[in-house]
Structure formats: C-alpha cells, structure tokens
Amino acid sequence: MEEHAADFIKMGTYLIMMKLKFTVLRSLTRGIHREVRRNLGENAAHKLDLGPFEHVFHWQDGCDADETACVISNLIYQNAVKGYLSHEHRKIVFAKDMPFPPPSKWRM
C-alpha cells in the first residue's frame, strides 16, 4: 500500500484505504481469536498466547513479534478490541463480554 500511497492521495482515497486496512487487521485478529478458542474448547480462558497471532501476522504482512504487538495495541487503543496485552506473560487478555465491539464504538 505504501508504494501506491501517492496515487491514493491524488484520488482522494488514502484515508479510506487506511481505515479499510485497520478493519481488515481487526477482522484477522477476530478470526485468530475464534480459531484459537475453538481449538481450546468453549470453556477456554480469555487469556490467549500471542504465538498464533504472531504466526498469522507474519504470514499475512511479514510482521515480527514487536510489530504484531504494536498492531494489537493500536486495535485496543482504537477500541476495536477490548482487552490488554501482557508482555511479561506473552498473552493477550480479551474482555469476557464483547471483546470485538461494533465499528460504531471505535475511536477512529
């Protein structure tokens, strides 16, 4: 996307593209959350290892562990994900009720 940023700015679609990228990253995080919880069982804790998130973000965008933590931190900051990161334990702790709020609640 960076190599085409000048074209997007000329067309007036750069901000829309950035919001779409943000939405895609949130959907990817939600999908990983759902798969990990499904594999662990319905009674799985809300604390999930960062490993699966790092693996998928590396596969998708070439992100390393720090970039993955940064992306998830931004999603949490923008209220697209409810929870927090525990760097000490290498876990992401999701809220028990509605860990993925609707877009109307986001801080964009």
Side-chain angles (χ1 to χ4, degrees), residues 13-91:
T13 58
Y14 183 75
L15 293 176
I16 293 170
M17 297 298 287
M18 292 304 292
K19 287 183 180 186
L20 284 173
K21 181 178 179 184
F22 183 81
T23 304
V24 168
L25 291 172
R26 188 246 191 195
S27 297
L28 184 60
T29 303
R30 185 177 187 175
I32 299 165
H33 174 265
R34 185 180 20 219
E35 275 302 305
V36 170
R37 293 279 316 263
R38 187 178 65 80
N39 290 338
L40 293 176
E42 286 299 316
N43 295 327
H46 297 283
K47 300 176 187 176
L48 302 178
D49 288 329
L50 281 174
F53 295 90
E54 292 169 353
H55 178 75
V56 172
F57 276 82
H58 178 72
W59 171 78
Q60 179 68 29
D61 280 340
C63 294
D64 62 9
D66 291 335
E67 289 173 321
T68 300
C70 184
V71 168
I72 294 172
S73 294
N74 281 325
L75 290 171
I76 291 169
Y77 175 75
Q78 298 289 339
N79 293 331
V81 174
K82 286 173 57 178
Y84 65 92
L85 286 176
S86 174
H87 293 287
E88 181 179 342
H89 300 289
R90 296 196 33 77
K91 302 259 185 202

Side-chain angles (χ1 to χ4, degrees), residues 101-107:
S104 61
K105 306 285 186 192
W106 297 359
R107 187 187 313 161

